[in-house]
Amino acid sequence: MFKVEDNKKKTGKYLKKLILDKYKSQRQFCKAFLEMRDGKVDEALLEKFTTKISAITRGEGTVQTYDLPIFCELLDVSCEQILSAGKCYKPVKSHITNYEVAFSKDKKVWESYMNREDKLFLNYDEYGKSVVDYALEFHNYDFIKYLMKTGHLNFVDNSKWERGFNFGLSTDIKRREIGYNDIWPIAHRLGVPESLVYEERLRTKAITLAIENHDYECLEELNARVNPAIYNLTIFDNRGERLEEQRDDELIETIANADEKIIEYYTEEFVIEDIHKREHTFMFPYLNRVVAIMIKNKNPMVGSVLDKAIKHNRDALEQLKQQLDEYTDILYRERTIMFNDKDDDELIKEYKEQCHREAEYWAKQGLYYKEDDGMLSYHYSTDKGKIEGMLTNIISVGCKPKDTEIAEKINELNGLVKNIIELGKHE
């Protein structure tokens, strides 16, 4: 027996996901519905039904019982799956399929299917999906772990590509062709092999399941806090990869709704080594979005998360100030080396002040802040000719909560970001 989800917004949100996973728009789905039900598409009815579906997906209505069979057939799901908002999955095929095996919790079913001499599990079904795709869709974490233990899913190092997909989760089950609304479009622009993009997508989905199952060992194995694109950023260039294009909203929401231990894990700083063997400190790249969801849900941990983000931003500001001051001093000394500290002639003093302003200006040339993902980089040359600098991400939060204490913390957090931006301004 399954429980019908009584939250219309949850059901609507899940139904919208099902529709957009298969159709280009809700309107396209409505056309298919009317065509199946009436044998034709009447434009007047289409407008009314599109409005009706929009209301349902917003959580302002429900699917009528007499419409449910058509929804199930068009979306290739069971009525239980729709009515429970994805909490209850029921096979919709009677014969053994990738769908049914990935749905099963029975290890014997998995072994029987995976050990077939014809290697049927390596094939994709008529919908272009593998057992891995279905297992991730059904959140069947036990089966995912089984595939990892049997060598069908493996963490893989793709660092030779250096294009933002440095590591992922590989599989010997070959990837289907990309379809509409499937994986990140970044692959097409960067010329990255489709398999690498798919491996990173598998990794991200597996991380989501590991969080739900509190599998910290797997989180560490999959390098769960890090977006692989970060490894390609340097003190010389933090613009090479767009982290926002690799964002996974399901993962972000899972983190925001997780328990205290998971949130602690995702709000700790971590250190990575870039391609020039320099170490840099970061926080989870999408922490601002996690915080926004936590505030919306009135999560009691949001205060401590903001405290960590404030400390991270403050440390970044202090490090940047120190390096800017150091380089400004180097440039100033180079320009005024012919004078000693005792020179007090007015013209000399005025010249020195001008030199200092120029030194400050040129010292800022190596500073770049990328607002869309919060990446901050700076580089400069020391008086010994060595290149130094910093690379990190800084956190800002755009929402304005009613809670006074939380609002004050957000103001402090964003104030530090503003100070960093001000440091980089050229007069």
Side-chain angles (χ1 to χ4, degrees):
M1 182 176 179
F2 73 98
K3 183 178 179 181
V4 175
E5 176 59 63
D6 58 3
N7 187 315
K8 289 182 180 179
K9 287 190 178 297
K10 284 186 179 180
T11 304
K13 183 179 179 181
Y14 182 72
L15 188 59
K16 182 177 182 179
K17 179 182 182 300
L18 289 177
I19 290 172
L20 295 182
D21 277 349
K22 190 169 182 186
Y23 294 88
K24 292 184 178 181
S25 66
Q26 292 184 169
R27 186 179 179 85
Q28 289 294 322
F29 169 77
C30 292
K31 283 184 177 180
F33 182 96
L34 293 177
E35 201 162 32
M36 177 172 284
R37 188 189 68 179
D38 303 333
K40 61 179 181 178
V41 178
D42 180 271
E43 287 300 318
L45 280 177
L46 177 62
E47 292 301 323
K48 289 182 180 179
F49 195 67
T50 301
T51 301
K52 178 181 177 180
I53 292 299
S54 295
I56 291 172
T57 56
R58 289 197 307 269
E60 298 170 5
T62 56
V63 178
Q64 299 299 314
T65 305
Y66 49 78
D67 288 337
L68 192 57
I70 303 178
F71 274 76
C72 293
E73 187 165 349
L74 289 175
L75 298 174
D76 300 314
V77 296
S78 64
C79 63
E80 292 93 338
Q81 189 170 332
I82 293 175
L83 296 176
S84 67
K87 293 179 181 177
C88 178
Y89 289 89
K90 294 291 183 182
V92 293
K93 303 288 183 182
S94 58
H95 60 282
I96 191 71
T97 62
N98 289 343
Y99 186 106
E100 188 172 3
V101 170
F103 168 81
S104 175
K105 299 290 185 179
D106 190 343
K107 187 177 179 179
K108 291 181 179 179
V109 172
W110 307 337
E111 291 177 340
S112 175
Y113 192 64
M114 306 299 279
N115 293 329
R116 287 173 59 119
E117 289 186 9
D118 58 8
K119 301 295 182 183
L120 188 61
F121 74 94
L122 292 175
N123 297 331
Y124 286 81
D125 65 13
E126 64 269 35
Y127 302 106
K129 290 187 177 183
S130 72
V131 288
V132 177
D133 295 316
Y134 283 124
L136 291 170
E137 181 180 330
F138 299 157
H139 289 220
N140 191 345
Y141 190 58
D142 289 338
F143 185 44
I144 291 294
K145 292 289 286 185
Y146 170 81
L147 292 174
M148 294 175 75
K149 288 179 180 177
T150 53
H152 297 299
L153 286 173
N154 297 283
F155 184 77
V156 60
D157 179 5
N158 293 317
S159 56
K160 66 178 181 178
W161 286 97
E162 299 180 358
R163 301 292 290 277
F165 297 90
N166 303 60
F167 45 83
L169 196 62
S170 69
T171 177
D172 56 357
I173 303 171
K174 301 305 179 184
R175 178 72 177 111
R176 67 186 185 278
E177 293 298 316
I178 292 179
Y180 177 79
N181 197 24
D182 187 17
I183 58 178
W184 301 319
I186 192 171
H188 300 290
R189 287 201 299 277
L190 292 182
V192 177
E194 181 183 309
S195 60
L196 268 64
V197 185
Y198 182 54
E199 286 171 2
E200 167 52 18
R201 180 176 181 271
L202 287 183
R203 169 185 167 271
T204 303
K205 298 303 180 186
I207 288 170
T208 302
L209 296 189
I211 291 172
E212 292 176 352
N213 289 271
H214 305 90
D215 190 342
Y216 300 100
E217 183 179 343
C218 188
L219 290 177
E220 284 296 309
E221 180 183 348
L222 297 176
N223 208 0
R225 284 179 297 210
V226 185
N227 183 303
I230 290 178
Y231 282 91
N232 298 327
L233 307 179
T234 71
I235 62 174
F236 307 103
D237 183 14
N238 67 20
R239 292 165 281 185
E241 313 295 343
R242 292 184 58 84
L243 295 172
E244 281 301 291
E245 293 185 4
Q246 297 189 35
R247 189 183 77 237
D248 188 286
D249 290 332
E250 183 182 7
L251 172 60
I252 291 168
E253 191 159 345
T254 301
I255 295 168
N257 291 304
D259 61 20
E260 182 175 345
K261 191 173 179 182
I262 289 290
I263 291 176
E264 286 283 349
Y265 175 81
Y266 269 94
T267 53
E268 293 295 328
E269 293 178 324
F270 58 88
V271 177
I272 68 110
E273 185 180 86
D274 69 18
I275 58 175
H276 300 299
K277 307 301 181 182
R278 299 175 185 271
E279 291 189 344
H280 309 289
T281 302
F282 295 89
M283 292 193 83
F284 182 58
Y286 314 108
L287 187 59
N288 59 335
R289 294 178 178 272
V290 172
V291 169
I293 297 173
M294 292 177 71
I295 290 172
K296 182 180 178 181
N297 296 342
K298 298 180 180 179
N299 191 311
M301 286 193 67
V302 72
S304 63
V305 173
L306 286 170
D307 287 338
K308 289 183 179 180
I310 288 169
K311 180 183 181 303
H312 176 80
N313 281 5
R314 185 179 293 116
D315 290 345
L317 175 60
E318 292 305 315
Q319 184 181 8
L320 180 59
K321 279 182 177 179
Q322 180 183 348
Q323 294 188 354
L324 277 169
D325 288 345
E326 180 180 359
Y327 194 35
T328 299
D329 184 58
I330 291 170
L331 293 174
Y332 174 72
R333 283 189 279 109
E334 288 177 352
R335 286 164 169 74
T336 59
I337 194 170
M338 71 288 294
F339 303 107
N340 59 54
D341 294 338
K342 295 180 180 180
D343 289 324
D344 56 1
D345 182 274
E346 285 301 317
L347 289 176
I348 293 176
K349 286 172 65 177
E350 184 178 336
Y351 174 73
K352 285 183 175 180
E353 289 173 359
Q354 180 183 340
C355 286
H356 196 271
R357 288 193 296 270
E358 290 176 354
E360 285 183 327
Y361 173 84
W362 289 109
K364 293 177 180 180
Q365 298 307 304
L367 172 62
Y368 187 79
Y369 170 59
K370 193 152 159 274
E371 187 176 359
D372 63 347
D373 55 27
M375 283 296 163
L376 173 71
S377 65
Y378 180 60
H379 66 275
Y380 67 102
S381 176
T382 68
D383 53 359
K384 296 180 180 179
K386 184 180 179 181
I387 302 297
E388 294 287 358
M390 63 177 291
L391 172 67
T392 189
N393 61 322
I394 51 179
I395 314 299
S396 62
V397 176
C399 56
K400 298 179 179 179
K402 295 180 180 178
D403 186 298
T404 305
E405 183 181 353
I406 300 302
E408 288 177 354
K409 289 180 185 290
I410 289 176
N411 287 337
E412 183 178 358
L413 180 75
N414 292 342
L416 291 165
V417 177
K418 185 178 179 181
N419 290 341
I420 289 172
I421 294 173
E422 288 294 322
L423 274 181
K425 287 185 176 179
H426 302 154
E427 295 182 359

